[in-house]
Amino acid sequence: MSTGLERLSLNQKTTNSWSLPEAVNGCVRAGLHSIGVWREPLADIGLGRAKALIDAAGLRVSSLCRGGFLTAADDVAFEAALAENTRAIEEAATLEADCLVMVVGGLPDGSRNLPAARARVSEGIERLVPVAAKRGVRLALEPMHPIFTADRGVLATLGEALDIAEPYPAEHVGVVVDSFHVWWDPQLEEQVARAGRANRIASFQVCDWITPLPADSLLSRGMMGDGHIDFRYHHELVTAAGYTGDIEVEIFNADIWAADPAAVLETMKRRYLDLVVA
Amino acid sequence: MSTGLERLSLNQKTTNSWSLPEAVNGCVRAGLHSIGVWREPLADIGLGRAKALIDAAGLRVSSLCRGGFLTAADDVAFEAALAENTRAIEEAATLEADCLVMVVGGLPDGSRNLPAARARVSEGIERLVPVAAKRGVRLALEPMHPIFTADRGVLATLGEALDIAEPYPAEHVGVVVDSFHVWWDPQLEEQVARAGRANRIASFQVCDWITPLPADSLLSRGMMGDGHIDFRYHHELVTAAGYTGDIEVEIFNADIWAADPAAVLETMKRRYLDLVVA
């Protein structure tokens, strides 16, 4: 019998207090089939043990979070970032993750040169594509809400991410459509359609834009339904664009992190069924 | 002798504790020739008295802030907004302001329909253009940083504002290029150039994007030099696009509002000379 939850994935950041084994167990108990894994909790238990746990639980890995941080102006720091991304690609390959989410990084310290930082991202992706291709991994460029352009991700729009992805095969470079990051974009419809035509939607993530914005902007994401985003509309857009993959819920929010994770999963399931895929 | 300050305008929001007469005096003492006026302090002293004061001081009015708030789904509220904008247009005409800045409004309460809110803005502008034309006023559509899409301004990009302006004569509908609102936009260069070709740059405003973002996002703007924006680059872009008008400094920031306004003006002048037009 269909539960309607077949494509729902828990990005483990949503249950930030859980270790990876706890999150895997939580998914199984909640009847989910997919998980988005973060590298830090992965490192806590080790790649081999994580792979065994996830396989034993019968879960897919919808994404590994995250690679990126490619904007260093300094060459030594840039090469170190590439090496770190190579390790992340290795992990994504071992976990058979659908993609490696790339948060590209903000302006280098003291720099106000946004075009230069964006050019560095393109250079980094060019260097990483052969590494990803060799390991059969798909890099997923994540455009981030412009609230994060300065300090987290200089890619601000889906259109810009697609421009960077375009020279490379779609199976090695895709984009993330994260509702929180892209909902405001007046070109959302045309760029999601463009991403679909090029088979580049690597991940669809959902969480809400809430107001007033919490004091810590990094923790400003809300549970679906608590804010201003029309998720059903976004789901229709990615579906019309041909996306059939997992739908990941990734929420950075102090209140949600302080709540009982199992209860958060139940709310997430209900909101997903009522507001995203209904 | 040139002071280099000929085009610098104080948007009176930067010295929020000053009444309009105090701001006018402050501009004169500081050697400025232009002021951006807000409607609330204008109402405090009355339109006639304000006009006389500003004329006696020999100041230009670079903008009147603000019209807009055109997204009401409810027809009665929408008509009320049009009536309020008609009064604002009247005031802008009397003050001979270069433009009436239009902050278009966020999503209506309880609505998640962003395309509908944007369509309402277009409808409102269509209704207001004949009113503005009759009074010789230029409406200046202000694209706002996507941090404000939900609750303040559904126009998120210069490109979108230009699309709305396009059907109307440039002398009646222009756009605001506000560094804070547009600096992150990957289409900044092409859209500023487009605005220039169509003679639609009605206002150029500067203030900085600072991190960490202050807790109240409405007060998150910084003095030039305190954040991440390359103002010289923006100045070059609008200059290449043919803009020769005033350069307004509009800062919403609790710390700056708590400081001595005359000292704020001195800092503003120095930063303008060093970082914007240098």
Side-chain angles (χ1 to χ4, degrees), chain A residues 91-173:
Chain A
E91 294 166 11
T94 302
L95 295 179
E96 298 172 78
D98 283 349
C99 61
L100 174 64
V101 172
M102 303 293 282
V103 170
V104 301
L107 288 167
D109 271 355
S111 168
R112 295 183 173 86
N113 193 338
L114 188 51
R118 286 171 166 159
R120 199 63 148 166
V121 171
S122 295
E123 185 188 347
I125 297 302
E126 186 180 14
R127 292 276 302 276
L128 291 172
V129 168
V131 184
K134 197 171 159 191
R135 297 298 276 119
V137 167
R138 188 180 209 187
L139 306 176
L141 299 175
E142 179 158 56
M144 301 195 85
H145 192 286
I147 195 176
F148 298 124
T149 302
D151 50 3
R152 194 150 299 267
V154 295
L155 290 191
T157 63
L158 215 40
E160 190 186 8
L162 288 166
D163 288 346
I164 293 181
E166 209 149 56
Y168 311 106
E171 65 263 41
H172 298 136
V173 189

Side-chain angles (χ1 to χ4, degrees), chain A residues 110-263:
Chain A
S111 168
R112 295 183 173 86
N113 193 338
L114 188 51
R118 286 171 166 159
R120 199 63 148 166
V121 171
S122 295
E123 185 188 347
I125 297 302
E126 186 180 14
R127 292 276 302 276
L128 291 172
V129 168
V131 184
K134 197 171 159 191
R135 297 298 276 119
V137 167
R138 188 180 209 187
L139 306 176
L141 299 175
E142 179 158 56
M144 301 195 85
H145 192 286
I147 195 176
F148 298 124
T149 302
D151 50 3
R152 194 150 299 267
V154 295
L155 290 191
T157 63
L158 215 40
E160 190 186 8
L162 288 166
D163 288 346
I164 293 181
E166 209 149 56
Y168 311 106
E171 65 263 41
H172 298 136
V173 189
V175 297
V176 180
V177 178
D178 181 323
S179 290
F180 175 89
H181 289 308
V182 304
W183 77 278
W184 57 269
D185 188 348
Q187 299 185 346
L188 180 64
E189 293 80 359
E190 86 188 64
Q191 296 298 336
V192 168
R194 174 187 170 200
R197 283 193 303 275
N199 286 316
R200 292 205 192 262
I201 305 179
S203 175
F204 175 41
Q205 298 186 347
V206 290
C207 72
D208 218 336
W209 179 271
I210 51 179
T211 54
L213 208 65
D216 181 345
S217 60
L218 189 57
L219 305 183
S220 60
R221 310 186 198 192
M223 180 63 74
M224 298 83 77
D226 288 351
H228 301 280
I229 298 178
D230 184 348
F231 295 101
R232 209 172 285 125
Y233 181 56
H234 288 191
H235 182 244
E236 285 167 12
L237 290 176
V238 299
T239 301
Y243 183 71
T244 57
D246 288 333
I247 300 174
E248 220 179 81
V249 176
E250 183 191 46
I251 305 177
F252 292 63
N253 181 296
D255 294 333
I256 288 174
W257 288 356
D260 168 36

